[in-house]
Amino acid sequence: MTTSEERASNSKISPPNTHGAVVLGGTFDRLHDGHRIFLKAAAELARDRIVVGVCDGAMLANKQYSELIQPIERRMQNVADYIKSIKPELQVQVEPITDPYGPSIVDENLEAIVVSKETLPGGISVNKKRADRGLSQLKIEVVDLLSEESTGDKLSSTTLRRLEAEQAEKLRQG
């Protein structure tokens, strides 16, 4: 018998416009191609509405170079602008989240949660919380952010912040 985690990770992503409303979350610092792939996949799955939780407060505490993370307003605006640029007909709801769940465990009209392979356990945890609250289970849609032919290096905001910190240090040292 397969576990729900195995089923989710083995399944292919659903066709476009499969779900009325989808949810996803992330820090979305320095919006880069990895974020765009993730957001585009989520937007394509959504027929009517996309809900994006953007990490803030305590959710940033353990991030490397957290002091260099862009302000929440800027990150939220960048996410909303990007989604609207690729699928303007979608209702876009972007909000700050200060815990791992945000709107995913209170919005009864959601149908799917979009995760990466790395954040799949979070999607499973969301469904457990939803079950505890008597809400429907979300279809877990897994977006592969690393293609098979890539070098295996995932573009990350942490790397971009580290490079920024190193550049600033070089400028200080003259």
Side-chain angles (χ1 to χ4, degrees), residues 19-24 41-43 45-47 49-52 90 109-114 141:
H19 307 291
V22 304
V23 65
L24 68 153
L45 287 166
R47 192 171 49 251
R49 184 168 67 109
I50 185 169
V51 180
V52 185
L90 269 187
N109 298 315
L110 296 171
E111 297 176 18
I113 184 167
V114 183
E141 297 281 5

Side-chain angles (χ1 to χ4, degrees), residues 16-167:
N17 300 312
T18 296
H19 307 291
V22 304
V23 65
L24 68 153
T27 304
F28 300 106
D29 183 41
R30 290 162 175 73
L31 203 67
H32 55 65
D33 286 347
H35 294 136
R36 289 184 193 95
I37 291 166
F38 191 49
L39 291 166
K40 185 172 192 272
E44 287 175 350
L45 287 166
R47 192 171 49 251
D48 305 312
R49 184 168 67 109
I50 185 169
V51 180
V52 185
V54 179
C55 299
D56 196 25
M59 293 287 290
L60 304 178
N62 295 326
K63 296 271 185 189
Q64 290 182 306
Y65 306 101
S66 61
E67 69 281 2
L68 297 177
I69 293 175
Q70 295 171 324
I72 184 71
E73 299 81 9
R74 181 170 180 193
R75 292 181 286 124
M76 288 171 52
Q77 190 63 55
N78 288 345
V79 166
D81 289 348
Y82 178 69
I83 294 169
K84 290 216 171 278
S85 77
I86 56 169
K87 198 165 181 182
E89 69 275 17
L90 269 187
Q91 178 190 344
V92 180
Q93 177 185 334
V94 182
E95 59 185 75
I97 56 172
T98 55
D99 65 63
Y101 302 102
S104 69
I105 59 168
V106 294
D107 188 330
E108 60 190 30
N109 298 315
L110 296 171
E111 297 176 18
I113 184 167
V114 183
V115 299
S116 65
K117 285 181 178 174
E118 296 85 2
T119 61
L120 177 57
I124 293 166
S125 181
V126 161
N127 270 339
K128 287 178 182 155
K129 289 267 192 195
R130 285 180 68 88
D132 292 346
R133 293 167 175 244
L135 295 172
S136 63
Q137 296 292 282
L138 301 178
K139 168 82 164 82
I140 299 174
E141 297 281 5
V142 182
V143 176
D144 187 3
L145 296 177
L146 284 178
S147 63
E148 297 302 320
E149 61 275 357
S150 78
T151 62
D153 294 331
K154 187 178 80 166
L155 183 58
S156 82
S157 300
T158 302
T159 301
L160 296 174
R161 288 192 301 274
R162 179 179 52 78
L163 293 171
E164 185 179 311
E166 289 170 357
Q167 187 68 30

